[in-house]
Structures are given as structure tokens and as C-alpha cells.
Amino acid sequence: MSSHSFSGIKKKNSRLKNRRGITDIISTMMLMAVTVTGASTLTYFMNDAFLSGNLGTTSTLEASSLNILLLAYDTRDSSGLLTLTDVDNKYDSLLCRSGCSSNSNDIPANDGTEFIVIQIQNNNLNSIFLEHLSINGQRYSWDISTSGMVLDTTVPLINGKYPADGMFSILPVTVGPIIQNENTEIQSGQTVNLLVKLDSVGSDIQLNKGIRLLLNSGQIQPVEFLLESGGAQ
């Protein structure tokens, strides 16, 4: 082979190497651009979810909150709220709070504050302890006087037959006489009803207004739900 031919081959190989080098650089730059664009898009949507999301969206962003499920609730002017016999509200087109303050601990039929029933399920691997809940910013504690007591809402409040105003009790989902939970523990996989006796401090809740519910079970953040007042879900 002549020296001229050998020199031509070397120049050709050099051009191929240069082209391959440029191709590698372009590929790397394209991958970096895709990565940056993807990260920016993800950041935008995450920020948008936090800023414009409603209560339901906010709740689902906290992984632990997915383990406490809201199955049903009843805020109606009705008899037998959420199929609980004798847990009745008056037909007054509202959920009575301060409007029933003069006789708040009595049953709604006797102008006591009214009830809300909330059904939740604990899907955590371990038990949770429902320390307190809040409704429209008003804190409700567990009523210890209801511990182990048979639920009876047919007579005025006597010895923990039902929670006092501004408090709640925990009820097993069962048929027949209901014995209220002895403590705040809700076991893994268990479904319970929360019987809330509205406080006598806050304003009456109109049935066309939403209710903001927070459940505090010892997690870093409470679990939030938005209830549509006036109906059973």
C-alpha cells in the first residue's frame, strides 16, 4: 500500500472519531435537557397540588393519612343517624350548637346540641389512639364517662349514656345494644362509628354548609376531611 493511501485512511478514521465524539456530546446534552425538563415539570405539578388542592388532596399527600379511611357520615335532620337506633336530630334545618346552649347536654329532642356520626376504618398495621378531633376548628375530646357504657340516647344525659356536648365516644359497628369503647384505641382493620355531640360554643351549622373535620391519632399531621353538611354519605 502506498504512503498516500495509508495517509488517506488515517485522515478518514480521524474524521469518524471526531464525528463519534460530537455525537456523544450531543446525546449527553439531550439527556441532560430531558432530565432538567422532567424535574421542572414534576416540581410544577407538585407545587400546584399543594397550593390549589382542596382538603381531600391535602390529606392524600400525607402517606399515613391514607391508612385512616372515612367510610361514611351522617349530619342530617333525621332519625337513626347512620342506622344507629334512637340517635336522632331535630328537623330544624340546622345542626344546633350555640342555639341549644341553655340545655346543651340534653338530647336534641329536648333542645340539646345535635349529633354527627362519622364512620372510619383503621388500615394501619397497628392500633391507633384517637386523641381528639376537631369540627370547624373546635376541638372535641373523648368522653371518658362513656367508657364501657351501653349507648342510650332516649333520655337526658345520665352517667355516660352518650357523650356530653363538645365531646365524642367511639362505637363498635355491631347489631343490637351498643357498648361504647372503653378507651380511644381503634385496632388495625377495625371499623368504628364516632358519635359526636356538638359543642354549645360555636355557631349553629346550616345544612348547606360544609364541615371541616380533623382526626388526630398521634400522627405528625392530623387527617383532614370535608363533609357536606345536611346529607348522609
Side-chain angles (χ1 to χ4, degrees), residues 99-114:
C100 300
S101 60
S102 61
N103 206 21
S104 59
N105 276 331
D106 211 331
I107 57 178
N110 294 341
D111 295 325
T113 60
E114 294 188 300

Side-chain angles (χ1 to χ4, degrees), residues 137-210:
Q138 180 66 36
R139 178 169 170 156
Y140 291 73
S141 300
W142 175 67
D143 190 344
I144 192 172
S145 68
T146 64
S147 174
M149 298 293 294
V150 176
L151 178 67
D152 183 0
T153 57
T154 61
V155 294
L157 182 62
I158 301 174
N159 300 326
K161 295 288 187 178
Y162 58 84
D165 75 281
M167 307 189 83
F168 71 94
S169 65
I170 302 174
L171 316 177
V173 177
T174 186
V175 178
I178 297 174
I179 300 176
Q180 299 169 93
N181 279 25
E182 294 183 354
N183 51 45
T184 63
E185 180 182 12
I186 303 174
Q187 297 178 0
S188 175
Q190 185 179 15
T191 298
V192 298
N193 290 323
L194 308 178
L195 178 61
V196 182
K197 185 81 156 61
L198 291 173
D199 69 282
S200 58
V201 177
S203 301
D204 297 340
I205 302 173
Q206 302 299 316
L207 292 186
N208 62 346
K209 299 294 185 181

Side-chain angles (χ1 to χ4, degrees), residues 75-77 89-97 99-100 114 198 204-208 229:
T75 63
R76 296 174 299 164
D77 279 354
N89 282 339
K90 290 193 308 180
Y91 292 86
D92 53 6
S93 300
L94 53 81
L95 289 169
C96 194
R97 298 169 76 189
C100 300
E114 294 188 300
L198 291 173
D204 297 340
I205 302 173
Q206 302 299 316
L207 292 186
N208 62 346
S229 179

Side-chain angles (χ1 to χ4, degrees), residues 8-77:
I9 292 172
K10 288 180 65 179
K11 290 180 179 179
K12 185 176 182 180
N13 288 339
S14 177
R15 286 197 298 270
L16 289 174
K17 289 180 180 178
N18 290 337
R19 288 175 182 173
R20 282 198 298 269
I22 293 172
T23 301
D24 291 341
I25 293 172
I26 293 174
S27 299
T28 302
M29 292 178 66
M30 289 179 67
L31 286 173
M32 291 177 65
V34 170
T35 301
V36 171
T37 302
S40 299
T41 303
L42 180 61
T43 301
Y44 170 80
F45 281 112
M46 288 297 291
N47 287 338
D48 185 63
F50 275 104
L51 293 174
S52 64
N54 57 23
L55 291 176
T57 302
T58 304
S59 295
T60 57
L61 291 175
E62 174 66 39
S64 62
S65 71
L66 298 176
N67 294 326
I68 301 177
L69 301 182
L70 174 65
L71 300 182
Y73 60 88
D74 202 340
T75 63
R76 296 174 299 164
D77 279 354

